[in-house]
Amino acid sequence: MIRFGPERLKRIGAAVRRGKVECNLHFRPAVAAEGLDVNSALLGALSAKVPTLKVVDALGVEAPKTKVISSMCGALGAGKRVLVVAPVVGSALVKSAANIPGLEVLRADSLNVVDLVNADTIIMEQAALATIQEVYG
């Protein structure tokens, strides 16, 4: 266990009260460069991944079957790290994808730059494109 003195704890934003350490960190959103914001960074990362983007009409996962997702990834020629984006993520889709290493499932309104950059292939439902346009515009 690492222990810091009271002065060190004050420097990193923690407070020592009655022998217990209580975190008192205030997170601020990162300051964007001039003229850029988080939405434009996300859309920029997505536009860089256009060559690896596969758009499907519907994922077609009604029952939790790993074979359905696995065969779809194989048919689309997906890489090792796959990001599946859907407008609504149901339990059947999450359970189907849980046993496949390197496959992540995200809702279209909760995309982030890290997942987009790390993915070799992005599989997206057609309806998810409309959601992304609406949310991140």
Side-chain angles (χ1 to χ4, degrees):
M1 182 172 169
I2 300 173
R3 296 181 187 215
F4 296 109
E7 292 302 315
R8 173 77 173 141
L9 289 173
K10 286 179 186 176
R11 277 190 296 186
I12 62 171
V16 177
R17 293 187 186 147
R18 289 182 246 139
K20 294 183 180 178
V21 177
E22 296 177 7
C23 287
N24 192 13
L25 300 175
H26 298 284
F27 294 101
R28 293 179 297 168
V31 177
E34 290 183 31
L36 295 176
D37 59 14
V38 176
N39 288 349
S40 62
L42 183 79
L43 293 175
L46 186 59
S47 65
K49 290 290 187 170
V50 166
T52 63
L53 180 66
K54 314 287 185 192
V55 180
V56 296
D57 290 333
L59 293 173
V61 179
E62 286 82 27
K65 297 283 186 184
T66 303
K67 188 175 184 179
V68 173
I69 296 290
S70 179
S71 63
M72 179 183 63
C73 289
L76 293 173
K80 290 185 177 184
R81 295 176 302 198
V82 179
L83 178 64
V84 177
V85 182
V88 177
V89 176
S91 63
L93 179 59
V94 172
K95 288 178 183 178
S96 298
N99 293 332
I100 303 173
L103 188 122
E104 281 192 61
V105 178
L106 285 178
R107 282 192 345 238
D109 61 351
S110 62
L111 280 178
N112 59 66
V113 176
V114 174
D115 287 331
L116 288 174
V117 170
N118 287 337
D120 292 333
T121 306
I122 301 170
I123 300 173
M124 189 176 296
E125 276 191 36
Q126 184 72 33
L129 287 173
T131 303
I132 291 170
Q133 183 66 28
E134 178 185 319
V135 173
Y136 302 108

